[in-house]
Amino acid sequence: MSHKIQTLSGYIHEYQKSVLEPEAFWSRIAESFHWRKSWDKTLEWDFEGPDVKWFVNGKLNITENIFERYLYTKGDTPAIIWEPNDPNETNRIVTYRELYEMTNQFCNALQSQGVGKGDRVIIYMPMVPEAAVAMLACARIGAIHSVVFAGFSSSSLADRINDCEAKMVLTSDGNFRGAKQIDVKAVVDEALEKCSCVEKVIVLNRTGQEVTMEEGRDIWWHHAIEGQPKEFKAVEVDSEDMLFILYTSGSTGKPKGVVHTTGGYMVYAQYSFENVFQYTQGDVYWCTADIGWITGHSYIVYGPLLSGATTLMFEGVPTFPHAGRFWEICDKYEVNQFYTAPTAIRALQAHGLEPVEPYSLQSLKVIGSVGEPINEEAWHWYHDHIGKGNCPLVDTWWQTETGGIMVSALAGITPNKPAHASLPLPGIQPIIVDADGKELTGNNVEGNLCIKFPWPSILRTTYGDHEKCKNVYFSTYKGMYFTGDGAKRDHDGYLRILGRVDDVINVSGHRMGTAEVENAINEHPKVIESAVVGYPHDVKGQGIYAYVICDMSGRTEESLKDEIKDTVRKIIGPIAKPDVVQIVPGLPKTRSGKIMRRILRKVASKDLSNLGDTSTLLNPEVVDDIIKGAGL
Ligand code: WTA
């Protein structure tokens, strides 16, 4: 049974019910799923622990809610439409039945390679249907997947493998990305030199390039599934058993493994997908994210497939072989819902209207945005030229930790407002608090965004470090989940997200911890100290600006800057490479030795107004040097 909200008054009614009687509300929605055993209690929670459990003691397998649920009615319906990087390569249409058989076969392969319930499996793969098969097969055997974006470096990959002590890595020989071909397997080989936990590696033949296969450890995908039966009985798991771990950057230290469990995540991914995008059976839905991010998990794979939808998966990049590729694909498959990131919109906007003009885009009914605040200019361009002025634009605010969309218009149901994520989904209770944690009620208020009541897909812990989860999300404000974002409730009561208030920067919709980038920079032997801040960037939203104190002997400034950028690329990956490196004689510090980032942010933004009082600094003279060095 569908729980799709159809009208504005329907939304208001559902929202009120969800706040007044959250348990009754979610239990009614969860009842439309297939459970092997129903839950004893809908919700147990305590934000102090934190300890949150949904659908307590319920037993299920999430993939039964995709396959067994839709096989007989939708066996021949496309589950995944796959568009390759190179438009001249043949595309693939994978039906629900085919996806079911591919998944089952891979379940059998995983089991015969020794993976079982509770084991961690790393997925480091290109955007091909097998990547979805890998995730679903893990879920079906009760193993825990952790997808790592295939653009991360070997050392980022190794950190993640070691953190969750993965037993297996699923990867490919190489990847096609635009005009580039990437040596994926070589990256895995390098990572595994630092990981003793991995027993087997399954390698998909994607590019056909030469790779080294380590005897006894590495096995080709097509060999692993050879002769494996296309049936597999899903393994029963508990509602609160882990479904996946997804690593994401925070203000401090290394990326954290955000843990999502099965029952609640399933219910919320499906419910939010269907309602935000107003998906109707038969529609073709396309989300351009990569499966390495939460958006790919919830809104390429789980949300759409749990809804029996047709989800389009694109291997390539927006500008290859030309800047009209997205729109060409929309016309080719008559895409009805299109979901992308502001950074992609801004990058395409820079190419002008010529690449858009050849395409009618008339199939589009809904367009969406995710990952960072969408500025008004990009909003209007997207709305006018892609949505042709008549598609609702859903600006969806959420996070890796929230599992699903939290604040967004429901397409065509609740009103659109440029650059505003707008209203919370049913079941979501956002509040704005001041620095002391006092709730700011009413309209026209601005502060930090918290959520005061659990929703089904809230993170449960950070893998292997529950204290960290408590400290990062549940300690800043007592009894609330703190998002790390600033927000404003405008005079009409619509929420506008203002961006991160912590030391996380959002580069092209990707989260980067400043400390993480600094640690990478500090690995360069000539670097003495560094400080990284974000600054406004026309296309990326935010760029990475690094101030570095160096030993300059034997180097020119230019060569050293290049080496520093390259060090970050090697240690984290290309997405973390600083846009600007400025070599400085010192960093502004308070008397207690803390770097005054506020000043560094101002200089990076080329805004010298209100620099504030610098006389209390330990080294006020350094501020002038930094300003001069920045050419201001
Ligand atoms: C930001 C991505 C404004 C925000 C789903 C959040 C947004 C972080 C929006 C999470 C939006 C995401 N408007 N800001 N519509 N969507 N953000 O974990 O700062 O990769 O905290 O999840 O992206 O990024 P993450």
Side-chain angles (χ1 to χ4, degrees):
M1 199 180 68
S2 159
H3 289 282
K4 199 157 85 183
I5 295 168
Q6 318 268 350
T7 58
L8 181 57
S9 58
Y11 162 75
I12 295 167
H13 180 73
E14 290 297 293
Y15 189 78
Q16 282 170 345
K17 264 203 309 203
S18 78
V19 172
L20 293 173
E21 293 185 343
E23 296 186 30
F25 175 84
W26 287 115
S27 124
R28 189 177 52 92
I29 289 168
E31 273 162 16
S32 60
F33 290 82
H34 172 70
W35 298 78
R36 294 255 183 107
K37 178 191 160 293
S38 187
W39 54 97
D40 301 331
K41 208 171 161 206
T42 307
L43 170 65
E44 267 175 24
W45 72 289
D46 150 33
F47 272 179
E48 292 285 304
D51 183 15
V52 179
K53 292 192 180 82
W54 280 93
F55 312 115
V56 185
N57 291 329
K59 307 285 177 201
L60 75 163
N61 187 287
I62 190 169
T63 69
E64 285 188 339
N65 284 281
I66 297 173
F67 298 126
E68 279 76 355
R69 191 178 186 187
Y70 294 119
L71 209 53
Y72 294 102
T73 51
K74 293 187 160 283
D76 299 325
T77 302
I80 297 177
I81 296 177
W82 178 74
E83 171 70 13
N85 178 62
D86 179 351
N88 297 318
E89 191 183 336
T90 314
N91 63 355
R92 288 164 69 186
I93 313 269
V94 183
T95 65
Y96 271 88
R97 182 176 317 283
E98 286 163 343
L99 188 63
Y100 168 71
E101 291 179 355
M102 286 165 80
T103 302
N104 282 341
Q105 223 174 12
F106 202 62
C107 286
N108 287 309
L110 286 175
Q111 269 197 345
S112 53
Q113 297 300 324
V115 179
K117 192 170 176 176
D119 288 337
R120 275 81 57 213
V121 175
I122 293 280
I123 300 178
Y124 186 75
M125 289 181 70
M127 287 286 290
V128 291
E130 282 77 6
V133 167
M135 291 165 75
L136 296 168
C138 286
R140 201 162 167 84
I141 68 172
I144 300 158
H145 59 71
S146 185
V147 185
V148 178
F149 173 59
F152 277 119
S153 67
S154 66
S155 84
S156 294
L157 176 61
D159 285 347
R160 287 155 173 79
I161 293 172
N162 285 329
D163 188 77
C164 69
E165 295 171 278
K167 203 167 177 182
M168 181 180 271
V169 176
L170 309 176
T171 188
S172 64
D173 48 0
N175 272 7
F176 296 120
R177 251 184 103 69
K180 287 189 221 141
Q181 187 169 327
I182 297 154
D183 299 334
V184 180
K185 177 62 165 58
V187 177
V188 172
D189 290 340
E190 198 179 315
L192 292 186
E193 284 169 20
K194 289 181 249 161
C195 310
S196 54
C197 48
V198 172
E199 292 166 15
K200 297 276 180 192
V201 180
I202 300 185
V203 188
L204 181 76
N205 179 340
R206 172 65 191 110
T207 57
Q209 69 197 86
E210 193 122 339
V211 293
T212 33
M213 296 289 278
E214 192 180 297
E215 177 115 30
R217 184 193 74 184
D218 301 350
I219 166 168
W220 286 104
W221 186 291
H222 52 276
H223 291 155
I225 58 172
E226 209 168 70
Q228 293 290 359
K230 292 180 178 167
E231 280 96 52
F232 184 90
K233 183 148 175 53
V235 171
E236 181 173 299
V237 306
D238 188 89
S239 178
E240 284 299 334
D241 277 345
M242 283 185 209
L243 175 63
F244 65 85
I245 305 168
L246 186 56
Y247 286 85
T248 189
S249 296
S251 326
T252 52
K254 291 198 166 168
K256 308 175 283 288
V258 168
V259 170
H260 284 289
T261 57
T262 308
Y265 176 83
M266 170 182 79
V267 169
Y268 198 76
Q270 193 279 329
Y271 178 79
S272 55
F273 169 75
E274 185 176 40
N275 276 291
V276 169
F277 298 101
Q278 291 288 304
Y279 184 86
T280 304
Q281 294 305 316
D283 284 348
V284 175
Y285 160 89
W286 180 19
C287 166
T288 69
D290 190 281
I291 47 147
W293 313 115
I294 190 71
T295 309
H297 284 60
S298 302
Y299 301 111
I300 294 177
V301 179
Y302 287 112
L305 295 177
L306 286 162
S307 303
T310 297
T311 177
L312 196 152
M313 195 174 191
F314 175 43
E315 185 186 35
V317 298
T319 48
F320 178 82
H322 56 82
R325 186 78 193 277
F326 271 4
W327 324 127
E328 180 181 72
I329 297 172
C330 283
D331 273 10
K332 179 173 176 186
Y333 297 104
E334 300 186 15
V335 169
N336 302 111
Q337 290 89 5
F338 176 74
Y339 190 31
T340 196
T343 186
I345 296 299
R346 288 189 297 262
L348 294 173
Q349 193 182 352
H351 289 266
L353 286 177
E354 217 175 293
V356 187
E357 272 152 12
Y359 308 103
S360 84
L361 300 176
Q362 64 183 13
S363 55
L364 289 178
K365 297 197 282 194
V366 176
I367 54 178
S369 168
V370 59
E372 54 182 309
I374 179 164
N375 49 307
E376 296 210 17
E377 201 192 337
W379 195 98
H380 285 292
W381 190 86
Y382 191 24
H383 184 260
D384 297 350
H385 299 295
I386 305 308
K388 308 292 182 198
N390 58 18
C391 292
L393 194 172
V394 290
D395 177 2
T396 64
W397 173 82
W398 58 297
Q399 310 178 296
T400 304
E401 294 85 346
T402 69
I405 296 169
M406 303 287 279
V407 179
S408 167
L410 308 185
I413 306 291
T414 57
N416 259 333
K417 189 163 197 177
H420 287 68
S422 84
L423 300 171
L425 264 67
I428 307 305
Q429 301 188 34
I431 58 169
I432 296 179
V433 300
D434 67 11
D436 304 322
K438 194 166 94 23
E439 180 171 354
L440 302 172
T441 53
N443 292 343
N444 249 332
V445 292
E446 187 178 320
N448 289 342
L449 183 64
C450 294
I451 318 286
K452 69 174 175 194
F453 194 84
W455 62 98
S457 61
I458 185 174
L459 87 159
R460 300 301 197 264
T461 186
T462 43
Y463 193 81
D465 193 349
H466 196 61
E467 265 314 289
K468 194 167 193 175
C469 175
K470 183 187 170 93
N471 292 336
V472 174
Y473 307 105
F474 298 92
S475 299
T476 317
Y477 302 110
K478 223 173 142 60
M480 286 178 237
Y481 167 80
F482 175 44
T483 64
D485 280 313
K488 182 179 170 166
R489 196 181 305 106
D490 76 0
H491 49 275
D492 293 324
Y494 291 92
L495 286 170
R496 178 175 193 151
I497 308 300
L498 302 170
R500 303 289 305 193
V501 294
D502 54 7
D503 286 324
V504 171
I505 41 190
N506 193 325
V507 187
S508 301
H510 303 316
R511 274 164 68 166
M512 259 313 130
T514 51
E516 210 183 327
V517 182
E518 286 161 9
N519 290 341
I521 292 175
N522 298 347
E523 290 285 306
H524 190 287
K526 291 282 186 184
V527 170
I528 297 161
E529 199 182 355
S530 64
V532 165
V533 296
Y535 71 101
H537 187 287
D538 285 346
V539 172
K540 298 178 171 184
Q542 280 189 299
I544 301 178
Y545 199 116
Y547 297 90
V548 191
I549 309 175
C550 294
D551 158 16
M552 295 292 296
S553 56
R555 298 287 205 288
T556 66
E557 203 166 306
E558 282 317 304
S559 67
L560 199 50
K561 286 181 182 175
D562 288 344
E563 285 177 31
I564 289 170
K565 289 182 185 176
D566 208 46
T567 303
V568 178
R569 189 182 56 76
K570 281 204 193 105
I571 294 180
I572 306 178
I575 54 173
K577 196 171 99 176
D579 297 277
V580 182
V581 174
Q582 182 181 343
I583 312 269
V584 293
L587 292 166
K589 295 208 172 152
T590 62
R591 293 195 188 272
S592 59
K594 256 187 97 178
I595 297 172
M596 276 272 242
R597 285 172 191 276
R598 189 175 50 78
I599 294 174
L600 298 177
R601 279 191 212 108
K602 284 261 177 195
V603 174
S605 317
K606 301 198 184 330
D607 168 16
L608 299 185
S609 61
N610 309 320
L611 263 194
D613 184 9
T614 55
S615 63
T616 56
L617 289 175
L618 203 58
N619 48 354
E621 70 291 346
V622 87
V623 177
D624 285 335
D625 291 329
I626 290 176
I627 293 173
K628 237 183 263 142
L632 299 176

